[in-house]
Amino acid sequence: MYNIKIRNYQIFSIIFACIFGTLLHFTYHLSGENGLVAVFSAVNESVWEHLKLAYFPMLITAIIGYFYIGNNIPNYLCSKALGILAAISFIIVFFYTYTGIIGNSIIFIDIASFFVAVILGEYLAYRLIIYNFNCNNILGIIIMIALLVCFIGFTYFAPHVEIFKDPVTNKYGIIRT
């Protein structure tokens, strides 16, 4: 019975992350380029900024889920953190693999890969939770906080590395230097 509750919450997490993540693509510009909104929204078209679209909705459902179902599961936060890492890793690897092969990006494939990444990440988290993967929740918290610090810091101070480069403007982060 408890596994069904976990499964249903993971299905909710997938739906929420896909819808909310899609909306986050537009919230920065719709906010009038508000600096606070920039923290959790894509501020440009770089791969890095698009990782926020998966990270923040999945983080929100991980936190809510912890209080709903996860506080009695010793590996809940770690499993969710590993699911988030899997989702963002999939986006990076898939994007650079397919664009390396065909030479350019195709928006339909980019959008589809986002949905696949969220499903993959949440499914992995579900399987780790169900099979009681030996992983400490403290590690999960560290991973989630480290990613949060990176997303905030690199929004404002993006390294001049390809993953942070906006292919439209050829500039980096919110501070376009």
Side-chain angles (χ1 to χ4, degrees):
M1 183 66 177
Y2 196 64
N3 287 356
I4 293 171
K5 189 174 184 180
I6 295 168
R7 184 202 65 203
N8 290 344
Y9 189 76
Q10 288 304 106
I11 291 169
F12 164 78
S13 295
I14 290 168
I15 294 166
F16 177 84
C18 288
I19 293 169
F20 192 58
T22 300
L23 295 175
L24 287 180
H25 189 274
F26 307 102
T27 52
Y28 175 67
H29 293 293
L30 290 174
S31 75
E33 299 186 353
N34 181 293
L36 180 61
V37 175
V39 168
F40 55 85
S41 301
V43 300
N44 64 38
E45 293 299 320
S46 70
V47 173
W48 178 261
E49 289 295 317
H50 282 80
L51 298 179
K52 291 178 182 179
L53 309 183
Y55 172 76
F56 281 101
M58 291 176 78
L59 176 66
I60 289 168
T61 61
I63 293 168
I64 293 169
Y66 178 76
F67 295 104
Y68 178 63
I69 60 171
N71 57 352
N72 295 322
I73 302 171
N75 71 342
Y76 178 81
L77 291 174
C78 185
S79 297
K80 294 294 275 187
L82 292 174
I84 291 169
L85 278 176
I88 63 178
S89 296
F90 177 83
I91 291 168
I92 294 167
V93 171
F94 184 80
F95 177 81
Y96 285 111
T97 300
Y98 100 82
T99 58
I101 292 169
I102 67 171
N104 62 317
S105 67
I106 301 170
I107 194 161
F108 172 76
I109 294 174
D110 295 341
I111 293 168
S113 71
F114 163 72
F115 294 130
V116 169
V118 168
I119 293 167
L120 176 77
E122 293 293 358
Y123 180 73
L124 173 65
Y126 170 73
R127 298 301 285 195
L128 294 174
I129 292 167
I130 294 301
Y131 288 109
N132 202 22
F133 176 71
N134 188 16
C135 185
N136 189 310
N137 278 337
I138 299 298
L139 177 61
I141 293 169
I142 291 169
I143 291 168
M144 289 186 217
I145 290 172
L147 286 170
L148 178 64
V149 168
C150 288
F151 280 118
I152 293 170
F154 293 151
T155 294
Y156 295 97
F157 306 101
H160 288 199
V161 178
E162 187 66 27
I163 194 169
F164 300 99
K165 185 177 183 180
D166 182 340
V168 176
T169 65
N170 289 324
K171 296 185 180 181
Y172 302 83
I174 194 169
I175 300 172
R176 306 219 178 214
T177 57

